[in-house]
Amino acid sequence: MNRHFSPFKALLAALLLLSGTALLAQDHGYADADDEHSEHVEHEAHPDGAAHSESDARDAEAQDHGHHEDDAHGEHAHGEHGHDEEFVAGTFIIHHIADAHDIHLFGDVHIPLPVILYIEGKGVKFFMSSAFEGHGHGNKTCELDGITLTMHAADGTAADGTSVVSGQITASETESALTVYDFSITKSVFGMLLILAAMVWMFLSIAGHYKKNPGQAPKGMANAFEPLIIFVRDEIAKPSIGDKADKFMPFLLTVFFFIFFCNMLGLVPFLGGFNITGTIGVTVVLATLVFLLTNLNGNKHYWGHIFWPPGVPLPVKFILVPIEVFSIIMKPAVLMIRLTANISAGHIIILAFTSLIFIFGDDGQAIGAGSGMGLFSTAFMIFMYFLELLVAFLQAFVFTLLAAIYFGDATHDPAHH
Amino acid sequence: MGALLTPALGTVVWASIAFLVVLFVLRRFAWGPILAALNEREESIAGALNEAEKVRKEMQELAASNENQLKEARAERDRMMREAREMADQLVIDAKNTAREAADKEVAAAKDAIAIERKAAIAELKSEVGNLSLEIAERLLREKLESNDEQKALVNRLIDESPLN
């Protein structure tokens, strides 16, 4: 009688399996946190000036050593990853959702990505990110044609005192800093190119399917995506834009599928946790395109509403016009922030619950608490994953819908209605 | 947090180039044909549905008109049958009348003929009777008057019989 498949048992088994995996990962996570934390504490411990001078000192020390070992290592001379430091969830999370120059699969396994740098006065440098040396998540360095390149592990200040962000590459030659323009194929750029290439392949073959079978019921991939294409057309574009919807359809479709696929890629586990649409560099481009398309297509009614809002008393116009002008930029900016924040937030929550395991596990000292938390966290993460699947679609929908509404505002002709 | 909030130059450049290239490629080679195909198919489906509706209506009209025609035909048939029956009745009546008239004529003619024949027969009979009477009288006279006695008897009887007194 009890032989039939029980979803509850299957769920329990999955929970145990995942919490086991999470505990295994704990060791790695702890090791990561160790390095990061030593950096973090160092920056926190000293006032700005002190941190500055110490950074200089560290840099000099690293140069003196003649080889490029991890800064934190050189400074603290840990040698081994001791289990004496506290795990800092914030640093751990930010590091994992920020863009990177390689794809971190698990443990020390990284997929290197091309680094393309334009260094002022030195020209373009092209090499793989595996050239950077240094283990864990500390600063990594690379010697190239007499130039020392430093890939910063965390936000802070560089050797020359300028502020740097996690993942930023700075260059120096004989202790004088060089200006670096980083055009690397980073994790987000790589993921984005992957998605865009997949989109070109998919939608070209779908278009081929329609050309080959005119007027027939769709099959396969065309059948899978036709409802979404029609959804964008009939639920987003037409109600928001109206007659001129056709003009904006290619952009709306491309944006919708790009965001949707990027969001979905970010949810694939064991793929390095892509956070493409949570990378502000990507969303700023999408928002800029929305801004340009809105304002380049703006008709006289659109501009009229901004610079001479009808139906309001003159004094109100003085308040309203600046607000309207500000909103020209604010609307796409909000699109950008909403998308980035939502997708990053999803990743942050999942990582936060992963971190809870390490925190409750007390850096491997309290396996029981860690396992208990692992069970709870895993259950919650499964819930979060389902929520994120919804969010992945929802954010693509919201971005596309609001873009369509802005296009509609810009092209709406009240004389027609 | 800086890494999350600062748009990296490289990312922006790559995203702009890649996204715009893909946008134009897809617009030209994917979205255009796909949307055109979808529109075309939707129009053809809508057209087919309209056509079907039209045909259905036509069928309905056709059925209605068939019904009408049937009704008319039935009425026509009834009318024709009634007319035929009336005509037949009339014919029968006419035939009867004609027959009666003919019969009456025949009867009248027969009656006339009979009457004429009767008259002729009566006339003939009269003359025959007269002749016979004369012959009888002649013979009687011849026989009776052959003797004197008989002549005297006869004259006496005649005198007796005659209303002289």
Side-chain angles (χ1 to χ4, degrees):
Chain A
M1 291 298 280
N2 287 331
R3 279 198 191 156
H4 66 270
F5 175 77
S6 154
F8 178 72
K9 276 185 201 164
L11 188 66
L12 197 68
L15 281 181
L16 286 169
L17 199 71
L18 281 164
S19 62
T21 318
L23 277 174
L24 273 177
Q26 184 179 5
D27 193 36
H28 159 66
Y30 166 72
D32 286 353
D34 183 31
D35 276 349
E36 283 164 20
H37 185 62
S38 54
E39 282 272 306
H40 196 79
V41 163
E42 179 190 65
H43 285 296
E44 266 186 2
H46 304 283
D48 268 342
H52 190 159
S53 62
E54 191 164 76
S55 294
D56 282 348
R58 269 194 295 143
D59 202 57
E61 192 184 352
Q63 299 250 331
D64 286 349
H65 282 186
H67 64 280
H68 310 284
E69 56 178 46
D70 184 22
D71 277 5
H73 244 312
E75 185 75 13
H76 292 276
H78 275 316
E80 290 288 319
H81 290 298
H83 287 198
D84 52 347
E85 298 277 356
E86 258 185 84
F87 170 78
V88 179
T91 322
F92 165 76
I93 290 167
I94 296 300
H95 184 91
H96 277 83
I97 60 168
D99 203 1
H101 281 84
D102 53 13
I103 299 171
H104 180 194
L105 292 182
F106 50 86
D108 265 339
V109 181
H110 297 255
I111 298 174
L113 292 170
V115 176
I116 304 162
L117 299 176
Y118 174 75
I119 302 170
E120 224 164 54
K122 300 289 174 187
V124 176
K125 304 287 177 196
F126 179 87
F127 54 96
M128 295 305 282
S129 65
S130 48
F132 280 97
E133 288 166 5
H135 56 79
H137 287 185
N139 286 0
K140 292 176 182 178
T141 52
C142 169
E143 183 80 5
L144 192 82
D145 306 330
I147 305 162
T148 305
L149 297 165
T150 308
M151 193 199 289
H152 295 266
D155 300 352
T157 43
D160 61 348
T162 54
S163 66
V164 293
V165 296
S166 169
Q168 189 176 336
I169 293 174
T170 54
S172 59
E173 189 180 32
T174 58
E175 294 187 44
S176 61
L178 298 166
T179 312
V180 178
Y181 297 101
D182 188 354
F183 296 104
S184 301
I185 306 297
T186 57
K187 189 169 85 174
S188 287
V189 171
F190 178 76
M192 180 186 71
L193 295 178
L194 204 70
I195 291 293
L196 288 173
M199 277 173 68
V200 168
W201 173 73
M202 276 166 52
F203 291 115
L204 287 188
S205 63
I206 288 174
H209 172 87
Y210 281 112
K211 271 185 205 155
K212 257 181 264 164
N213 309 289
Q216 285 181 19
K219 273 185 186 155
M221 212 153 56
N223 195 15
F225 287 102
E226 190 182 298
L228 286 174
I229 294 171
I230 290 176
F231 173 75
V232 172
R233 190 191 62 183
D234 292 350
E235 305 300 325
I236 297 176
K238 278 186 181 165
S240 312
I241 308 173
D243 302 339
K244 300 183 187 78
D246 287 349
K247 185 180 173 185
F248 297 101
M249 274 305 288
F251 177 78
L252 294 174
L253 281 168
T254 312
V255 157
F256 176 80
F257 283 109
F258 175 69
I259 296 174
F260 182 46
F261 290 157
C262 286
N263 292 349
M264 293 301 271
L265 182 67
L267 293 179
V268 179
F270 311 118
L271 258 188
F274 281 102
N275 189 22
I276 306 162
T277 35
T279 305
I280 201 133
V282 175
T283 51
V284 77
V285 172
L286 299 180
T288 307
L289 289 176
V290 171
F291 171 80
L292 290 175
L293 276 172
T294 306
N295 292 298
L296 291 180
N297 287 295
N299 59 19
K300 63 173 192 269
H301 298 282
Y302 170 73
W303 293 113
H305 270 272
I306 289 168
F307 290 111
W308 202 248
V312 290
L314 189 67
V316 180
K317 281 188 170 74
F318 284 105
I319 306 164
L320 215 51
V321 169
I323 294 172
E324 288 285 351
V325 171
F326 182 60
S327 79
I328 298 174
I329 296 173
M330 208 51 215
K331 280 173 176 175
V334 165
L335 279 188
M336 168 186 85
I337 293 163
R338 178 187 296 110
L339 180 58
T340 315
N342 270 290
I343 301 308
S344 291
H347 288 234
I348 287 170
I349 290 172
I350 288 172
L351 286 165
F353 273 86
T354 313
S355 303
L356 270 185
I357 304 171
F358 307 150
I359 292 165
F360 273 71
D362 198 13
D363 295 342
Q365 305 302 302
I367 295 294
S371 306
M373 197 60 215
L375 268 171
F376 170 74
S377 288
T378 311
F380 195 81
M381 274 191 272
I382 289 169
F383 165 71
M384 277 309 298
Y385 259 99
F386 279 112
L387 193 66
E388 284 303 300
L389 286 173
L390 175 71
V391 168
F393 176 79
L394 204 65
Q395 287 306 318
F397 168 63
V398 165
F399 191 101
T400 316
L401 178 68
L402 287 172
I405 288 171
Y406 299 158
F407 298 157
D409 283 347
T411 55
H412 179 66
D413 190 353
H416 273 304
H417 297 278
Chain B
M1 286 301 279
L4 296 182
L5 301 179
T6 320
L9 174 71
T11 312
V12 171
V13 169
W14 283 115
S16 307
I17 295 169
F19 189 85
L20 284 175
V21 166
V22 168
L23 175 62
F24 285 110
V25 167
L26 287 183
R27 188 172 79 163
R28 173 81 183 75
F29 297 107
W31 302 131
I34 288 173
L35 290 172
L38 286 180
N39 273 338
E40 203 175 298
R41 202 179 64 205
E42 275 160 11
E43 272 163 23
S44 90
I45 288 172
L49 287 176
N50 282 343
E51 190 72 16
E53 181 66 16
K54 218 169 76 184
V55 167
R56 201 178 64 81
K57 267 189 192 142
E58 271 173 15
M59 287 299 289
Q60 240 169 11
E61 277 163 22
L62 210 65
S65 86
N66 274 354
E67 191 74 15
N68 279 343
Q69 275 180 349
L70 209 63
K71 245 183 232 166
E72 276 170 23
R74 254 191 223 121
E76 178 80 8
R77 187 198 60 186
D78 289 351
R79 193 176 57 78
M80 281 168 79
M81 281 183 70
R82 201 171 52 241
E83 280 179 8
R85 203 179 296 122
E86 279 168 7
M87 202 183 281
D89 289 352
Q90 193 60 46
L91 272 177
V92 169
I93 290 164
D94 287 356
K96 272 184 185 162
N97 288 344
T98 319
R100 197 179 296 122
E101 276 167 22
D104 287 354
K105 246 183 228 165
E106 288 287 315
V107 168
K111 272 181 183 163
D112 289 352
I114 288 168
I116 290 162
E117 288 289 321
R118 197 162 145 258
K119 269 179 194 166
I122 287 167
E124 202 170 328
L125 202 61
K126 271 181 186 167
S127 68
E128 204 65 42
V129 168
N131 284 341
L132 275 174
S133 305
L134 281 175
E135 275 174 30
I136 292 164
E138 197 180 284
R139 255 185 281 169
L140 275 175
L141 284 173
R142 243 170 241 162
E143 269 180 42
K144 299 288 182 166
L145 295 173
E146 280 173 1
S147 64
N148 280 340
D149 296 334
E150 275 175 26
Q151 274 185 15
K152 275 173 196 173
L154 179 61
V155 172
N156 289 333
R157 202 186 57 212
L158 283 172
I159 290 162
D160 287 344
E161 277 174 14
S162 63
L164 294 172
N165 22 8

